[in-house]
Amino acid sequence: MKTLHLLRHAKSAWNEPGLPDRERGLNKRGRRDAPRMGAALAAEIAPQGIFVSPARRARLTLDGLCEGWPALAACQHTSEEALYTFDAADLWRWLMAADDRKPGLFLIGHNPALTELVNELLGQRQLDNLPTAAYARLGLALDSWVQLQAGCGQLERLLPPRQLAG
């Protein structure tokens, strides 16, 4: 059994026309939601290393998570070029190449790739959209990441920031 933790980056800023997509930061809501999600996740799961898209908004989301979840800041996090994608097939390939010694992986990435990945792993369309800064945990019925296949997952937790108090 493997566990996949997915978090879509927090709400990004669009206030600088001409800024490359990769360089966009977070807007006010994004800067608010990331620490709140960190605090909420700290109450549910153990701190662990996170694989994050190199996009600035994804890295800033990780910084915000660590702000709300200080124990997470002590973990080793890795920026992965392959996670800067909007295509679930790219994420699928990356997951299939993952180290089998890791019983779980935590990714911060982008839509529509994350929503599509969740639905493919569940074997049916259950999620219309993974909102910004939302967290999804899937239990995967496999012993090796290379065994990844459609329908091998079960949605164990879905936590959008709008469900948080305050």
Side-chain angles (χ1 to χ4, degrees):
M1 191 74 165
K2 301 283 188 191
T3 302
L4 184 59
H5 306 269
L6 301 171
L7 188 104
R8 183 175 172 195
H9 65 77
K11 189 76 173 166
S12 59
W14 289 90
N15 58 346
E16 294 182 59
L19 189 67
D21 177 74
R22 193 181 270 257
E23 295 305 316
R24 287 189 294 117
L26 299 179
N27 70 11
K28 183 178 178 180
R29 189 174 96 198
R31 291 189 305 272
R32 180 198 70 204
D33 285 348
R36 292 173 64 228
M37 287 300 293
L41 293 175
E44 292 192 20
I45 60 176
Q48 58 194 284
I50 294 177
F51 295 93
V52 61
S53 160
R56 183 169 179 248
R57 60 191 178 276
R59 294 188 328 262
L60 290 171
T61 299
L62 176 59
D63 292 345
L65 284 179
C66 291
E67 180 185 326
W69 185 2
L72 188 65
C75 297
Q76 181 178 345
H77 307 296
T78 307
S79 179
E80 286 282 336
E81 186 64 35
L83 300 182
Y84 181 65
T85 184
F86 308 101
D87 186 346
D90 294 333
L91 297 178
W92 196 279
R93 282 188 292 279
W94 187 87
L95 287 167
M96 288 186 73
D99 184 346
D100 277 328
R101 293 174 292 185
K102 295 188 179 292
L105 295 170
F106 195 137
L107 312 180
I108 296 177
H110 308 273
N111 253 0
L114 292 176
T115 297
E116 292 170 3
L117 179 67
V118 168
N119 286 327
E120 288 176 25
L121 290 171
L122 297 178
Q124 58 185 315
R125 185 175 178 84
Q126 288 187 29
L127 188 62
D128 289 328
N129 177 51
L130 185 65
T132 53
Y135 167 79
R137 181 176 60 242
L138 287 84
L140 306 177
L142 46 95
D143 297 317
S144 173
W145 292 105
V146 77
Q147 297 171 333
L148 205 63
Q149 60 182 322
C152 73
Q154 180 176 348
L155 186 61
E156 296 176 347
R157 180 74 161 118
L158 180 62
L159 180 63
R162 71 176 177 271
Q163 287 184 358
L164 303 177

